[in-house]
Amino acid sequence: MSAERNALTSSPFSPDSPRRLLITGGAGFIGSNLVYHWLGAYPQDFVLVLDALTYAGNRQTLQPLESNPNFRFVQGDICDRALVDRLLREENITAVAHLAAESHVDRSILGPGAFVQTNVVGTFTLLEAFRQYWLEAEKPESFRFLHVSTDEVYGSLAPTDPAFTETTPYAPNSPYSASKAGSDHLARAYFHTYGLPTLITNCSNNYGPFHFPEKLIPLMCINILLGKKLPVYGDGQNVRDWLYVEDHCRGLAQVLRQGAPGETYNIGGNNEVKNIDLVTLLCEILEDLAPSLPVHPATDLITFVPDRPGHDRRYAIDAGKIRRELGWSPQVTVAEGLRKTAQWYLDHQSWWRPLLSPEYQEYYNKLYKLS
Ligand code: NAD
Ligand code: TYD
């Protein structure tokens, strides 16, 4: 990298407020939570959302922001280079938080093509467009590109293995994690080759409001409320490290504002839970919050189903680097976060009921063979 570009990447992020941020995938689960977090924390900043509104994107989630002059929504594909070029210039964007992705492992097993297209080609398209725009910018020193990724790129841990650090070798096992690994490598390469100020975060499993029903926690909450079976893959002993989405968004904002370009930060909840224990806990929480459930006890709904092919046994994150260097740590315990989330699904049935479309039901029944 040239000394000149090197100097640019060590300058602080957007010293001039207000900042102008592009959030890709902002109508999805984490993206929408990040939009609310950012505009709540920095109401003078401008946020542009670019989202294709795939099955996982939901315009309704952002509806309360429609009248906010510091917010704009554009429906479009991150693979559309001309559109991305135009939006960067039209809105004088100075930072990108890139969350748009195909994000569900089970869907990647059924159809990996869309994952390669959006996660690899889409990320490449954004990086190229942003690089060209950055090269032409008057104040490129304050620009940032945050690539939001997953701990799944590191593969699977045995029960006693130490948690993933930023130097754990990549070993993705699913088409989803392989496509995210590919996009991480591109984001890294754009820093090392061109000096583009990219940052990468690798985060553990999130949960919280606006999570699409196909993922473990919303699926279980909704099925408990509807009295439907709770499909637990394999022996239920797989371990995930759960992080409340608001904690993740705070971490993303911190990395974007204070992280060093070219660096990777692992983000995790330090909350390792076995799937079967998590599902049992959700049954107990909802028994408590919604005493008139259709099936009681809700644990009677637990159904062990054939395992996911290539199912990673355990993920665990060592978040020491972001704690030491940026002062971030999770604030919501898993007991607290699960209760808040279960209450949210109980209170927001008008958000999730329309998502259980005939098309989704067909996918769901095919996947779990539960019809
Ligand atoms: P999500 O599936 O809920 O949302 C993805 C969003 O991207 C949707 O709104 C969708 O419409 C949009 N999108 C998909 N393809 C697009 C395209 N080609 N162009 C424009 N928009 C497109 O996903 P999520 O759970 O919010 O995850 C967001 C990001 O965070 C992803 O990059 C994911 O890999 C990463 N991540 C997720 C988790 C997790 O637990 N959910 C954990 C770590 C990292
Ligand atoms: P998921 O929410 O799909 O996240 P990821 O696969 O990205 O970790 O799944 C979390 C865990 O729960 C994972 O070990 C698979 C398991 N799981 C089930 O047992 N049943 C289900 O119906 C789903 C969706 C997941």
Side-chain angles (χ1 to χ4, degrees):
M1 194 200 318
S2 74
E4 191 189 348
R5 285 283 141 182
N6 198 9
L8 290 183
T9 60
S10 57
S11 300
F13 167 53
S14 288
D16 307 325
S17 196
R19 294 164 288 215
R20 302 187 65 84
L21 190 62
L22 165 61
I23 299 183
T24 69
F29 165 47
I30 303 171
S32 59
N33 278 282
L34 182 63
V35 172
Y36 281 110
H37 174 86
W38 197 280
L39 286 172
Y42 312 105
Q44 306 307 318
D45 287 358
F46 171 81
V47 170
L48 166 68
V49 165
L50 174 61
D51 195 298
L53 295 181
T54 66
Y55 79 94
N58 191 341
R59 183 88 190 259
Q60 272 307 104
T61 304
L62 299 170
Q63 201 277 330
L65 293 170
E66 294 294 338
S67 59
N68 183 333
N70 286 338
F71 171 77
R72 179 181 171 197
F73 178 86
V74 172
Q75 180 174 359
D77 193 327
I78 55 166
C79 300
D80 182 344
R81 174 69 193 267
L83 174 66
V84 176
D85 283 344
R86 176 167 69 73
L87 290 174
L88 290 172
R89 286 165 181 77
E90 208 168 85
E91 296 296 358
N92 296 312
I93 295 301
T94 54
V96 176
H98 172 38
L99 292 95
E102 287 294 337
S103 69
H104 192 40
V105 174
D106 292 328
R107 287 188 191 249
S108 81
I109 295 166
L110 293 174
F115 287 71
V116 174
Q117 181 63 20
T118 286
N119 300 357
V120 182
V121 178
T123 301
F124 163 71
T125 306
L126 279 176
L127 284 165
E128 262 304 275
F130 193 68
R131 181 171 78 91
Q132 194 59 49
Y133 170 69
W134 168 77
L135 282 170
E136 295 161 6
E138 273 175 33
K139 288 185 173 179
E141 64 278 3
S142 62
F143 283 29
R144 293 292 184 270
F145 186 106
L146 170 62
H147 174 67
V148 178
S149 191
T150 167
D151 61 355
E152 303 191 23
V153 297
Y154 299 122
S156 185
L157 292 168
T160 56
D161 283 346
F164 302 129
T165 70
E166 290 77 1
T167 56
T168 301
Y170 274 35
N173 292 318
S174 71
Y176 163 65
S177 53
S179 66
K180 291 297 292 186
S183 61
D184 292 10
H185 292 324
L186 283 168
R188 177 190 152 90
Y190 269 66
F191 172 78
H192 285 279
T193 304
Y194 305 114
L196 192 74
T198 61
L199 303 117
I200 300 171
T201 52
N202 294 95
C203 186
S204 63
N205 287 62
N206 282 219
Y207 67 101
F210 305 123
H211 207 177
F212 191 80
E214 68 192 350
K215 302 279 170 67
L216 180 71
I217 289 180
L219 179 80
M220 295 299 158
C221 288
I222 289 170
N223 283 11
I224 293 167
L225 292 173
L226 296 176
K228 290 175 71 177
K229 288 177 182 168
L230 308 178
V232 174
Y233 298 168
D235 61 5
Q237 299 297 306
N238 302 66
V239 172
R240 296 293 182 266
D241 172 3
W242 294 98
L243 180 70
Y244 193 62
V245 66
E246 177 64 22
D247 275 332
H248 186 197
C249 292
R250 236 182 351 96
L252 294 177
Q254 230 148 316
V255 170
L256 196 48
R257 290 170 55 247
Q258 294 152 14
E263 290 295 317
T264 288
Y265 299 89
N266 280 358
I267 305 180
N270 204 19
N271 274 318
E272 286 186 56
V273 189
K274 287 181 182 154
N275 290 342
I276 187 63
D277 295 341
L278 186 99
V279 174
T280 306
L281 187 55
L282 279 172
C283 289
E284 289 164 5
I285 291 172
L286 275 162
E287 293 271 3
D288 190 29
L289 295 176
S292 58
L293 291 172
V295 174
H296 173 80
T299 44
D300 282 356
L301 294 166
I302 293 175
T303 308
F304 289 92
V305 298
D307 210 352
R308 170 190 278 173
H311 193 178
D312 286 338
R313 196 63 171 165
R314 173 177 166 242
Y315 302 140
I317 280 275
D318 177 343
K321 177 174 172 181
I322 186 170
R323 188 182 62 243
R324 284 188 306 275
E325 297 187 6
L326 305 182
W328 176 92
S329 58
Q331 290 176 355
V332 181
T333 65
V334 83
E336 218 184 314
L338 286 180
R339 210 174 164 83
K340 278 161 73 146
T341 303
Q343 185 71 58
W344 191 88
Y345 280 89
L346 190 56
D347 293 344
H348 292 81
Q349 305 206 14
S350 61
W351 183 84
W352 57 260
R353 281 188 184 269
L355 303 178
L356 309 180
S357 61
E359 196 187 15
Y360 172 69
Q361 294 294 354
E362 195 187 320
Y363 154 78
Y364 178 86
N365 291 334
K366 192 167 66 184
L367 183 67
Y368 303 112
K369 300 185 183 68
L370 279 179
S371 58

